[in-house]
Amino acid sequence: MRRFEGRIAAIVGGGSGMGRAISHRLASEGATVYVADLSEESAKKVAEEITAQGGKAVPVQVDATNNDSLRALFDRIRSDHGVLHVLHAQVGMPGPGGIETSDEEWQKNIDVNIKSAYYTCTLGYDLLKAANGKGSITMTSSTSALVGSPFSPIYSLTKGSLVPFARALALKGAPDGIRVNVICPGTVQTPMLAQFFGREPGADVSELTKDFIKNIPLGRGAQPEEIASVIAFLASDDASYVTGVTIPVDGGLTAK
């Protein structure tokens, strides 16, 4: 399928894991993908992978917690194309374990998990308006936004904020032809997975991961490409009447 032929996409947090898979998927369907990541090296690597496969990608170093950095990304897209069709906010971090959180940890989690998503979506809004009814915003939240995480309440707090934000932004965007949706992945086989299960010193990450996966009805964690396929659907015309929804992508975890 070439559902994104001639369309422009920006993946903020596109340099690894789910963001990398999303960048590849959209490029494989014809999009010109701006791979934006805090790591310039990672952004370049993903863009090179895409171009080697015949796709179109532009690497951009972006600190998603810095509004000037985000503005520079959107200014570049405006200068290059004058329009943006697909905007995905992937940036996030696992919170510290427990409820003893320092002021510095608190602020960092707010900045990475909430501020980055809010300003990614709002600073790119005008470019999406120029897509003539083809604009799509997606955000990655977490199942911890839906069922709560006793291991990291601040993670549930920060990721949980994206669910009502997506609903509100969907109502704001509807008259401008911009759809807004949020996904809530469960366990995904990415480099960040070890951070979720390794919060406590000396934790056996392998055993903790195995124990958690036992609770997933489908009996396994997701591959990043399985997350990317859901984003590709939501961003495409196949989902032209889908907005303001939250989709768990969790192997049935939240159905229990």
Side-chain angles (χ1 to χ4, degrees):
M1 294 184 293
R2 303 284 289 184
R3 294 179 292 185
F4 302 102
E5 197 72 52
R7 298 189 185 184
I8 312 302
I11 312 303
V12 180
S16 65
M18 287 180 274
R20 173 182 175 272
I22 293 165
S23 296
H24 272 276
R25 178 59 183 264
L26 296 183
S28 74
E29 293 199 37
T32 296
V33 178
Y34 283 74
V35 182
D37 201 90
L38 181 62
S39 168
E40 183 176 14
E41 180 181 353
S42 296
K44 286 181 176 179
K45 182 178 179 181
V46 173
E48 288 170 357
E49 291 170 354
I50 289 171
T51 55
Q53 294 170 3
K56 292 173 284 188
V58 180
V60 186
Q61 194 280 326
V62 171
D63 179 353
T65 67
N66 183 297
N67 290 353
D68 288 338
S69 185
L70 285 169
R71 288 188 184 98
L73 166 66
F74 295 124
D75 284 345
R76 179 169 181 179
I77 295 172
R78 183 175 291 105
S79 176
D80 291 348
H81 303 283
V83 66
L84 182 63
H85 300 88
V86 179
L87 177 58
H88 179 68
Q90 178 62 40
V91 173
M93 64 175 289
I99 58 174
E100 298 295 330
T101 303
S102 68
D103 289 348
E104 291 77 16
E105 287 176 321
W106 164 268
Q107 192 59 55
K108 184 176 181 180
N109 277 262
I110 294 295
D111 288 347
V112 173
N113 289 347
I114 299 179
K115 179 184 178 182
S116 72
Y118 181 86
Y119 284 106
T120 292
C121 297
T122 56
L123 293 176
Y125 189 89
D126 285 345
L127 277 171
L128 290 155
K129 283 178 66 174
N132 295 321
K134 301 293 186 181
S136 167
I137 294 173
T138 47
M139 294 176 272
T140 294
S141 180
S142 166
T143 52
S144 293
L146 304 177
V147 298
S149 170
F151 307 106
S152 179
I154 193 173
Y155 186 66
S156 287
L157 168 67
T158 54
K159 281 299 189 178
S161 71
L162 302 188
V163 173
F165 175 52
R167 293 191 187 120
L169 198 57
L171 297 177
K172 165 68 176 174
D176 294 320
I178 299 172
R179 297 180 298 103
V180 185
N181 297 290
V182 61
I183 63 166
C184 292
T187 300
V188 184
Q189 301 295 334
T190 71
M192 189 178 289
L193 184 60
Q195 296 179 41
F196 283 94
F197 293 102
R199 293 185 178 101
E200 298 298 327
D204 188 331
V205 174
S206 177
E207 285 303 313
L208 288 172
T209 303
K210 288 178 182 178
D211 289 343
F212 188 83
I213 287 175
K214 289 177 184 177
N215 294 318
I216 300 173
L218 287 185
R220 62 178 179 83
Q223 294 300 315
E225 291 76 16
E226 292 177 296
I227 307 302
S229 67
V230 179
I231 294 299
F233 163 70
L234 290 172
S236 75
D237 290 347
D238 289 337
S240 59
Y241 204 59
V242 179
T243 193
V245 304
T246 300
I247 300 181
V249 191
D250 63 358
L253 183 66
T254 56
K256 295 176 69 176

